[in-house]
Amino acid sequence: MRLAFAGTLVLAVSLSSAASAAEVRWISTKAPLELLGMPAGEEEADDVLRLTCLKGGAVQVGLGGYKSLGKGKGEPLSVTLASANASVTLKGKSTLSKNSEMTGAYELRADLAAGEVAALTSVLTDGTAIRVSGAMKDTWSAKGLKAVAQGFIAGCARN
């Protein structure tokens, strides 16, 4: 009886953690070419993930804004994004988030050369929820992300 209860408890906990992924709305913009992940239903929130296409297919990453991502004074940070089948560790610096005047939050900012974007692409196009660990912890939904990420990567590669 105890073993059956323990098994049921483990199953319930694993299912609830998968169901508790923060709902993220994924979109892209054309000028500038960006991929944005925004908390669903929040108007004045920071993006949880912002990818901005730079010249030559390089990408600037803004991951945040969270109050747990340093103090915005350029201190080094490391965050790992993992889907079911891929992971990438992003190393960057803490900076004020783009919407810090409204949120008071910080973000990890890093520039990836064109050759470094493949691992991030694998995570974003996997189609499964993204687990975030390291300097912050979260889980993001991936509904609609695969198509948005593929469009962003293809457009940025032509840049």
Side-chain angles (χ1 to χ4, degrees), residues 1-151:
M1 178 74 165
R2 287 184 185 162
L3 185 56
F5 175 74
T8 302
L9 182 60
V10 167
L11 179 62
V13 168
S14 66
L15 289 176
S16 69
S17 63
S20 66
E23 193 65 33
V24 176
R25 183 171 53 106
W26 301 99
I27 65 166
S28 63
T29 64
K30 293 189 189 266
L33 180 56
E34 290 186 313
L35 180 150
L36 304 169
M38 299 171 280
E42 293 185 39
E43 294 300 319
E44 293 295 335
D46 278 299
D47 303 318
V48 296
L49 183 65
R50 183 186 67 261
L51 304 180
T52 305
C53 183
L54 305 173
K55 290 196 184 292
V59 172
Q60 181 181 74
V61 177
L63 191 146
Y66 296 85
K67 296 194 181 195
S68 62
L69 284 173
K71 301 201 182 305
K73 299 183 191 259
E75 60 272 24
L77 296 171
S78 176
V79 173
T80 299
L81 303 178
S83 62
N85 300 301
S87 70
V88 62
T89 299
L90 302 170
K91 295 179 182 182
K93 295 183 179 184
S94 175
T95 185
L96 288 171
S97 69
K98 272 197 160 182
N99 199 24
S100 63
E101 70 280 352
M102 296 298 286
T103 64
Y106 309 105
E107 69 181 23
L108 175 147
R109 192 165 302 154
D111 288 346
L112 301 178
E116 300 172 315
V117 177
L120 179 59
T121 300
S122 295
V123 172
L124 300 178
T125 59
D126 188 57
T128 61
I130 298 172
R131 295 175 316 282
V132 185
S133 62
M136 59 164 286
K137 304 217 181 312
D138 205 349
T139 303
W140 303 329
S141 67
K143 182 179 179 185
L145 175 57
K146 183 175 183 176
V148 171
Q150 288 172 332

